[in-house]
Every structure is written in structure tokens, then in C-alpha cells.
Amino acid sequence: MSVSLLKKPQMHFGAITFFAKQHKDDVCGSNGLPLTPNSIIIYGRAQILKTIVNPYLCRYLDIIRGKHERTIAVSQYCGKPLSSFIEKSVFSFTDIKRIAYQVLQGLKELHSRNIVHHNLSSENILYENGNIKLFNYGLYYMTDNGKLVSFPIVQLLYTAPEVYLEEFKEIIANPKVDIWSLGIILAELTLNKLLWSSLILGQRIRKVLSLVQSTTSVFERIAREHNCYDRYQAIPADLKEIIEVCLNIYSEDRPTAAELLEKGIFDEFQVQKTDWLSLLKMYEIFTISELYYWWQLTGGDVLQELKRQGLIRSSPPILSLPHLVLIEGTILGQDRNPATLYDPKIVEMPMETLYERFKNISFSCYYPLIQTKSEIIAQSEPEPYDATGLPLVIKEKDPEYQFHRVILLRRLLHGYPFTRDLIVKEAEKDIPPLFRGDIWSALLNVRGDYERQYAKIDKATPTPTDRQIEVDIPRCHQYNELLSSMEGHKKLKRILKAWVNQNTQYVYWQGLDSLTAPFLYLNFNDEAKAFSCLSKFVPKYLHNFFLKDNSAVIEEYLAKFSQLIAFHDPVLANHLYEINFYPQLFAIPWFLTLFSHVFPLHKILHLWDKVLLGNSSFSLHIGLSVLTQLRDRLLNSGFNECILLFSDLPEVDIEKCVILSAETFQKTPGSITHREYENEEFKKTGELDISGVTLQDLKKERCPRISVSDLLELIRNSPDKAIVVDIRNITQFNRCSVRDSINIPFSSVCFSENKIENVGHHSNVLKDNLDKIVVVVGDEETDLELFPTFLLNCNVKFVCVLHGGFNILLPISPTILASQNHIS
Amino acid sequence: MARPKESFLYKNMSYNFEHLIEIPFEDSIDELTHILMSKHGIPRYVEEELLEDLARFVKERTVEYNDQRVMNLINGAKDNKINIEEITKKWEKVLKEEVTEYGEQRCASDNELFATAYHKMVHSPALETMLQLEHMYSQTVRQKAKEKNQLIQEMSERQSKEMNSAVDRLEKDMTESQINGLVARHYEDHALLQGKLNSELDTIKEAQRREYREWLMQMLEQNQTTSSLPTPNSPLTPMPIESIIPSVNFNNGVANVPVLEESFTIHLGSQLKQMHNIRILSANVMDLCSVDDSRQSSEPTPQILQTALALYSNDLSGLVLMADNKIGSRMTKEFQDICDRTTEFHFSHLEDQFNKISNMSLGYLKRDSQSNNRNSHSELLQAGDFYVTRHSNLAQVHVIFHMVSDDSLRGTNINSRHPIILGLRNILKTACSNDITSLTIPLLLQYDMTEEMTVSWCEKRAELVFKCVKGFMIEMASWGGSDLKNLQFMLPQGISNQVFQSLTEMLPRIFKVSNPKILK
């Protein structure tokens, strides 16, 4: 059945675990802040390993940080260790050549990325169906050449003699140590003998070191010591030569992996240039990393599995308490917990639950139909998995739903940019967490050559802003493991420097770091993409917010925010107005960082999922929804309490917030949040749109303006959603007015008291208004501030003023105007 | 030997510029190319050529650099400049210490085995039987202790009577020396009796402990085959309940003092909020330790259950007690008495624990008094040091932190650099890295009411402790251990309502209290 698609032999994974070195005592870094725990540094360094995709390397899937500095590395694991085949005479010399070729291919890939295996042995080369994969090759790299762990990363017999000689002081990785290890492995394979298997620990080290003194061929010496000289002589000359050259005592005489691959012996394995099929990169419907994601969703828990299979042994903490702790931090009487020693055991993860869970997914679900014009074909598609109406957090945890989303979106992303419209459509439903980074960059229209563009930017030369960046980074979302790692700091700094370098019209404002954080978090292994998302994001959503003098932009934004509150929630707006609690006092960091400085990352992600689909006014609605959640407390608080409340914003329910802001966004005509300082590229500038409102005027008006085009839209398409209040005098009204509008002559209203009854017999319509938009229409002779403000003070909702006054309606065709005289 | 980075001069002949490149080179060559191009005004079309050239340069220099390093090493070894034997020893040592495979094959210790057994059984239906048994054992010990006290008291009474009559007869037929002799005899008898009874008690405890542990292991075995639960039958387990003489409850009055307490849920952190429970209470700190035995019932008190369940778990509960610089001094007498009241089935007796710590501290402080940077070069502990004892027979706590304090605490001008505060930080850190997730701290840094405790003194002290602890808790998040779930601030028993009020009002000003969820 279809589940067999999941059951490929390569699609299995395993995990190893180890402890990072604990920092001694309480030391601080050079910046005066506490040192980053080593496990976090490892976590950051290891991320890049996940990007290595090579047929001869087990793919890294996940790095997990446990309690008390534990690190777990999850990676592909398939086949059996090569060591289990030795002494069984299963390999012909051709097999051995192929193994050598494949190992070298793997090493070449690693070495080209400046990664040294340092841990190569026949134990962690996995063999299956004639092919090999290197396993656990990242341990040395992720632990910063072994500096972050207390155990040495060596494979006794396979480690090159210079490693031992250097003792533990080695600070620079030398790729040639892997070539030596390969030589030993090949020697084992060709001689079909486990080397020095009877020796104990110390003797083995001594043995390796003794090779240094040998003046003849090391390989020959090994063969003689194992009484295999006959076999040694039977080895084909070309293979023998390879082994001899690998086992040179001086690394200078050992070729690099790339050089070795050039040798004629490997010609038969080289991919032929004419073999087009193998050169083409095939599209895979899913890879092991997606499978791992589903596995986790179906309840796979690496930590539990390690415990179950005995790799994590926990001894009760009460038995290992220290006896005495001195004031300077010296701990006495606490023995080293034996469970923290390094155990290179690998634990395989069971896949049964996943298979069981996915067994009913039909074959065609793996190949979703994306575009068809035929109804009949479309109907033959299986019913979509129904998750509508479920809360987002549930959808994100639902394995079947995520299966369908991942299959579909992986395909769509593969087709980007041609499938952008489809991606947007899917993103409106929800965004699967696994692909959030890619989907976001698709929504932001990131271009294909972003990597090249980024490479061109100078991120190294010091600039005057460096100091501020340096100060901000160690304070930016540091609860997050990625962002608090050294690697994270380095990347964030590079991105910020690149941004400053590219945006000379702007200055670096504090907050830009928080703004970058979500992009970096999602694209941790693709700095260029994070940068490019940021560079697309800022002009669209925060246009000119980072000007050296951004006061006008911010002021306008905040004034609009006040108006939006007044539009949707007059009661709250009036209360805040009365106690003089202006948005200037609390909302600047909200909008300047689009809430990325306010909320923790996991909340920002959900929030921005929606932001990226909306326009730059969406964050006003988010601000409104935050206030709405705190409404009761705000209404019952005075100025001081409000200030205190916002100084440390209470927990906000982000799902509610997203829904609410989407609702108000939907309901609010676009021109209500029209801003003069919006990016021209995204601004509507038709004749019937708002333009030319000065900041001074804007700040005076408590109710927002609406554009003619929005009014027309309302009246033509949903007349029951609007109440047009004409405040000109009755003669003018009777002569010509908007159809179905009501007339409350400006002069007839007494504004001394905030009582809605003062407007006369139309008061009930306004008073009972629940969801209609109240458009106030006047002309030059009427006061277009006093009246709407009066309505606002009477707590009438959705009050807005027609921009341009009544006269602008006259030339509209087809007209919406009528003469009352004529009707009556 | 390891060498630092080395700079190589890259010279480009065709465009006539130079650049220093550090080997090993860790940045992107691609980016360097662009930087050099803009710096030296090199035309775009040579980009690829330059990149290639730079890459080759870096690669060659790196190989050269590495090979040179290895060559030096190997030559050193060949010329016997490097001591192979020594290196081998070093590697052997490290591998044995750090890698399971080469490490000593260590069996689980007795304690660990017992811990596993106990933890397993306590989370099984056997729980009730176990607690019952423990309770009965403790009743026996209490009974025995009571008898001991009674016998001693009887003797004292008899002796004082004898003494009185002797004194009365002083003028008649007794001489002073005879009386002195009598005093000496009385004293001797008293000591003898006490010693005898104490050793009897210790013997009982020791026997109980052995029997209990054997019984538990045996039960575990049986439990694995059958599911029935045997109960041990021995003279050490308890007599029928009726025989326990109901004692007059003189403690009642004290126990009924209303306990002042208030709980808060707080959150820490500006973006990601971490929740913690905090409680302020005013009570006798010994109530956390002493198992309420006034009721003389056959049922163990329910508090014990919780404590037993968590004993070998990763949610331990700790308590900070104040002590002086002499380990096991009289200052902790009351606590020691409580510990001795019942049998300790799991850990060494308190006295033994104290002795062990004493030796350890003496050994360390003597040995290192020159090298370490302690303020005083004394062999005694100093304020801010603390020692840790573990217990299974206390009411609500497993771990006691005995914080060494001094008289400076009474003053008004202690600040956040005071040794006790630093000690508090170490305690939190120890708690964090040893899975102690509930902790009780004296809010005023002492448990007894003293003269100088004015309202303003209390407020000042509490503010300091609140603020410091808050800081430590924020720091804690980066220590990578377990979170402190419950934190109790203890006030001395009998503190005035007014002070208590003002301190509970202070807490929400310092810690951010979570919003209550209001149902609408």
C-alpha cells in the first residue's frame, strides 16, 4: 500500500547523545555578561550540519538540547556498521574500491565545508546494499574541534598519530587526519582483519604512536604484524598504493580527498558526464527531514526513546547532591555522575507508530493535483483532509493534516516563483511550521539571486554602528537557543551590518535586531535569505520608520492608531483620551518592531503569518486587538496603572489576537488607515483616494477619514452596511444628497452635552448602530471635526468622515445622489 | 604544538595589490573577493578569476600550514623530544575518565539499587503498606523514646528525693563528702542509664533500618512474581495500637496559632514569560520538618505520602536553615532532635552526615588554605558557605541547606554583596542543577523573632531578599538546569499581621504577578 512509500530503507534515523563541558565557577565573558552555556554553542554550530545533503553522508535531522547540558544529535541511520563485516570475507577488492571511493566522496564534501570528521572508523561507516554512508561526522565540528566537551573525540586505532602527539591542545582541524583513518579502514578491509583487536587501551595508543618511528611502509608493517603478508601481496597494486599513500606518517605526503579521487583507480565509479539522468536532480515528494517531522508529530520523542533504550540513565538526583558548597562556588563532595560520561552508542528510532498512523493515506495524496481545468479529474481527487475550524495550534500538531500540507507546499515551493499565487492562497489557510521560512520569503517576493546579492555586501569592515549592534545582540530574544548561541550572534551581527551597509538612507535603530530575529530564526542556515526577507519586509511594512528623523512617520502612524481605536471602540478611546494615555506612551516599540520586541518568538511567528498577507496597516489592527484583550483592565485603570500595565505587558493570547485583528482588518475600509507616509509603491493614489492630509490636521481629528472610493464601494455593494449622515443644512440636503442618507443639520445640534438624543429624531438609528459604518458627509460650511467628535463622545461606533466633503460626490458616475424634493 | 593563526600575504600581480590573509581562513572567500574588488576598484569581469585565485591561495596555504604543523610534531617524536610514554598515559587517563567504554565498569551502588526499588514500590499499590510500616516503625521508636524519657525522669525524681533527704540529714548523720559522693553517684547512674537507653534506641533504629531495607527488596522480588504484599513480622514492628498510651496533647495550643500565608503566581522574563509559584508564610520552620505525631493515630499523615513519592524523583524539595560555622552545633539542636525522633531508612544518620561534611571541609580548608582565595585563612567555614544534608523522615522536605551565617545579619546595612546573599545564589544554583524544584527560604534571613525586627527593618530586609532572589531566578533560566517551580518565603512565627501585610503587598511590586483569568 501507500505506506510503503514511507518505508524506504534509507528513511530511518537514530540518535547519539553526549554532555557538553560545564563552565567552571562563575566567569563572565568579555562583555560582562554570563558565558553562553557550551551546549548552546554546540546547538548553534550544529545547525549548519542539517544542510549537508550527500548520498554518502547520513543526513543530520535535528539537534536537541536536554537538561543539564545534554545534547542529542538525530540523524539518518540506515544499514550496518562496516566493522560488522570485517573478518567475514564478504568484500571483493572491487567492493573495497567502491567503499574507498564513496568514503572519499563523503570526505571531500565535508572538507570543502571546512568540516573535519576526526572520528572516522569502520564503526561509523554504515553499509547497505553496496553503498556506504558516513555517520556521526559532525561531532568534532559541532563541539568546536572538541573544545566544548570534556571527552576526546578520537577513534583509538583509526586516529592519526599526530592527533595523539598534539595531546589535547589541537586548536585547528586538519582534514588529513581523516585520510589516515581511511587508510586504516582500508587496511582492515583488504587484510580482512580487525587490527590489534587483542590489545587494551594503553597498548593501542602506544601502537599507533609507535608507527611514527617506522621507516618502511606502514601498511606493510601492519600486514606483517597481523600475519597477513600473503594477503597483503595479493592486493591489487593500485589499491595498495592508495592505502600506502593514506598511511603516510607525514601529512604532507598524504593527498587530500579531492586529489585521491582524481586517481585512475576510481575512474569506473565516476559519474559519466553523458549520463544525464544521474546528473539531473530528481524531485522527491518528501525527504527524510519531512519524515522526521511527521514522526515527531505522531508522538515520536527522541528523549523518551533514549531513556527507554537505556542510553539516558538517570540516577536519582538526591543521591548525587554535593555535601558542601563554599561561598566562592567551590563544590565539595559531589562525585562525577557516571551517567554523564560519553557513550557513543546509537539508538535507532522505531517507526511503527508513524506507519500505523499513516497507513490509510491513499496513494494519490502523495501526488496532489495542483492545477487542472477538468472538473472530472478534479472530482476524482480524494476529499481534502478537513481541519477547518480547528485552532491553529491543533492544526500544527495534527500529523495527517501536516502530512497533506507538507506534501502540497513542498511541491508549490519547488515551483516558486511561478506558483507564488498558489502559495499565497495556501498561506491564507495556514502556514505549515516546517516550511515557514520558505513560505515567508515567497510571500515577501524574495528573488532567486538573493545569495549572490548578499555575498556582495561588505559585512566585515567596521562601522560606527557596530558598537550599538554589539550591545543589542546579547539582549535580543536570548531565551531562544538559536539566537543565544555564538553562531546566532555572529549571524545576526552580519545581517544587521549588511542592512546598515545597504540602507544608507536609514540609521540603525534599536529594535532592528528584534525585527531581524524571526527571519534569522526561520532561516538560520540561510543568512542570505534572512537578510533578503528583512530587506523586503522593511520597505513594505515599516517604510521610513528607520529614518534618522522618523518622528513624522511615527506620529502619523500613532495618530492613525488613535483613530482606529476610536473607530472600533469609542468607549475605550474616550477613556484613554480622558486619562491622557496616548499611544506615544506605549505603542512606539510595538509598531517600530512590529511587535517583535514585545512577544516571544513563537507568538511572533503566528502573528506575522497574517501580517505578511496584509498590508502595512495590519499592525495597527494587532495593536487594537492587544488593547481589546486588556480592555477591562484599561477601563478600570487610571494613568499610572496603565503605564505600569504596559511597562511589562501581560501575557496576551496570540491566537485570539490574530483572529481579532484579522476581523477588524476585514471590516475596516482600507482608506480608514490611509497614511501619507506609506510607501508609494503600495499606496493607492487615485483621484478618489485620500491625499494631502497634513500631519497637523490628522493629529487634530479624532475620527478617521474615509475615501470616496471606499464610500462608493460600500453604498453600491452593501448599502445595509453604511449609514450616511449628511450634516449640511436641510435645504442643501433636500436639493441633492446621497440616496438613503439621513440629514442631521450641523446647526441643529447642541454640542454642550454628550447626549446622542441631541441630534434629534435620528438619534435612535445612531444609538442602536452595532456594525454599520457611519459616514459623516459635510461641506466647507460645516465643521467636520466637532460633529464626528461629538458622535464619538456619545460612544457611537464606526464613525468616519468623508474626505473631500460632499462636493466630491457630484461628478461621480453612475451617481449615488438623489434629490429629496423629487422623491417627496 | 598547536600554533596560533598565521598571516600570509596575498599578492595579486595582474591587478597589483596585496592583502594579508589569516590561515586558517574561516570566512567566506566569496565575500572577501567582493570586499577586495570594491577596495581596489577591480572591474567586475575579473570577479571569477580573482575568486578562483584567492580560493587556490587559501587552500594551498592551509594545507601547507597544517602539514608544517604535523611535520614538526612527527619530527619531535622521531627525535624523542616528545615523551611518548607520558602522552600515552595522559590519553589513557582522559579516556578512562570520560568515555563509558573505557571507564571502570561500575556496578550500581547499594544506595542506587535501593533507590530504584523504593521508587518503584512507592509508585505501586504497595505504597500504603510501606507507609503503614514506616509509620509503625516510627511509633515503636517514639514509644521507646518516651519510655526512655520516663525512666530517666523517674530516676531523676528518685535521685532528687534521695538528695533532699540526704541534705535534710546533713546536720545529723551526713557529711559533706558523703553528699558529694552521692552527687557523683547520681550523676554516674544518670549518665549510665541515659547511655544505655540511647544505645538501645540506636540498636532498634539500626535493626529497623536493616529489616526495612531487606523487607523492601524482598517485597520487590515477590511483587515481580506475585502481586501479593507480605508484611513483616518481627518484634521491631510495632505493638498493638491499644497499648500506645494516649498522651496529653500539650502541643495543641501552639499548633492552633493561625498560619499566615499568601500565594502568588508570578512570571519572569520580558518576552518569554516563565511561571513560578511563590508563597509567603509565617510559621515555625520546624513544622516543615517535624512529622505531626500528636494525633497518635495508626495512619501516617498525608504529607508524608507526597514526600515519599518525590524522594527519588526529579522534583525534590529543599529548605534553607541557618547555622553557625560549627557543623552540627547546638544551634541546630532542635532540628537534630526532630531527625532523631524516627528512623532514617534511606540515608546516613544526621550525625554521620555532619561528621563526613566536617572532615571534608577540614581536609579542604587545611590543604588549600594558602591557595584558595577565601577572605579569612581560617579552617572554619565562613558566612555564605553552606552544607547539605539529605533526609527521608522529615515532613515536607528532602534536602536541607545549612547556611553558615554570622552576626552581621542582625544589622540594617546588608546589601546584595553580603556573603549570605551570595550563598543564597549558590543555593539556588545548586537547587537548579540538582533538580530541587521546591525551595523554602527565610525571607528575613532568620527564623527567630529578635529585638531589632522593627517594621522598617523587616521591610528593608524583605525587599533586599525579594529583589536578589528575583535576579537569581532570571539568571537561573540560562543555567540549563531544572526550573524552580515553587518558592516559599518563610517569616518567623508570630510576626505581626501588619508586617505580614506590608510584605505581601511588596511582593507584587517586585515580581510581576500573573493576570488572573476572569471568566466572562
Side-chain angles (χ1 to χ4, degrees), chain A residues 76-92:
Chain A
Q76 192 177 12
Y77 185 80
C78 47
K80 279 192 176 152
L82 209 51
S83 55
S84 61
F85 296 96
I86 296 172
E87 296 192 352
K88 298 214 174 80
S89 307
V90 279
F91 297 125
S92 69

Side-chain angles (χ1 to χ4, degrees), chain A residues 26 36 62 71-72 99 144 264 267 273 352 365 371 432 445 510 513 523 672 680 693 766 804 824:
Chain A
D26 287 313
T36 319
D62 198 9
T71 299
I72 301 168
I99 290 170
D144 194 9
D267 280 350
K273 287 280 185 282
E352 282 66 36
C365 292
Q371 269 162 333
N445 269 322
Q510 273 178 294
D513 52 333
N523 303 296
I672 296 286
E680 300 292 331
V693 185
L766 294 174
S824 57

Side-chain angles (χ1 to χ4, degrees), chain A residues 26 167 250-251 327 633, chain B residues 31 67 75 90 385 429 515:
Chain A
D26 287 313
E167 297 179 48
Y250 290 102
S251 74
I327 184 158
R633 284 177 77 174
Chain B
E31 284 175 14
D67 289 344
N75 285 342
K90 271 190 200 163
D385 296 340
K429 200 164 180 179
N515 293 346

